[in-house]
Amino acid sequence: MSVRAVGEIASFHAHVYFDGAEEAAAARALRERVAERFAVRLGGWRDQPVDPHALPMFQIALAPELFGTLVPWLMLNHGSLSILVHPNSGRPRDDHLRDRIWIGAALPLAEEVLPETEDEAETAGEPNTAPTLSP
Ligand code: ZN
């Protein structure tokens, strides 16, 4: 097996899942707290599951440099929500299924929709938050 370099990771995603009204409210609050503290790109609010995800969720796209603060912050502040953190290295299947971490309880993913490779690893994109608080 060849050694991979961290530079292969173009960005990370943190997918915050929720199930039912109570968790949806907790996820909304978490989303606001993240936006107040981190320059990230928040994805749309998904009330219905979108493949490969089994539950409603929203996505946080983060630059690799933010991993060391945002992920520990999520570990301390996720409450009872499940969060999938995965790299975007151009290998969607491995990124989501093999090389991920879970904060909270692990959930199933629809493996069959995840391609082995993609042409270009997804970057975090322009942040759409304007943080005013320190994490
Ligand atoms: Zn993702």
Side-chain angles (χ1 to χ4, degrees):
M1 197 180 99
S2 63
V3 176
R4 301 180 69 195
V6 287
E8 293 179 38
I9 299 175
S11 66
F12 290 92
H13 284 169
H15 294 276
V16 180
Y17 295 94
F18 51 92
D19 190 12
E22 203 170 305
E23 286 191 3
R28 280 249 183 244
L30 188 71
R31 182 182 171 93
E32 284 167 25
R33 289 174 185 146
V34 167
E36 287 168 346
R37 288 165 177 81
F38 297 96
V40 293
R41 185 155 191 89
L42 292 175
W45 184 262
R46 302 290 200 163
D47 265 322
Q48 298 297 325
V50 184
D51 276 343
H53 308 285
L55 286 179
M57 60 88 200
F58 73 90
Q59 171 187 297
I60 306 167
L62 57 137
E65 310 84 74
L66 279 182
F67 184 95
T69 46
L70 177 52
V71 173
W73 188 90
L74 290 170
M75 287 171 170
L76 299 179
N77 292 288
H78 72 103
S80 60
L81 299 173
S82 288
I83 302 177
L84 166 67
V85 181
H86 71 79
N88 290 307
S89 74
R91 301 186 190 180
R93 178 168 281 261
D94 286 343
D95 290 345
H96 286 79
L97 302 177
R98 192 191 67 183
D99 304 333
R100 65 193 175 189
I101 57 176
W102 284 98
I103 300 172
L107 296 169
L109 289 165
E111 304 186 11
E112 66 281 2
V113 303
L114 291 164
E116 207 67 54
T117 58
E118 59 190 352
D119 288 341
E120 217 171 301
E122 197 178 326
T123 61
E126 280 300 305
N128 59 2
T129 58
T132 57
L133 301 176
S134 156

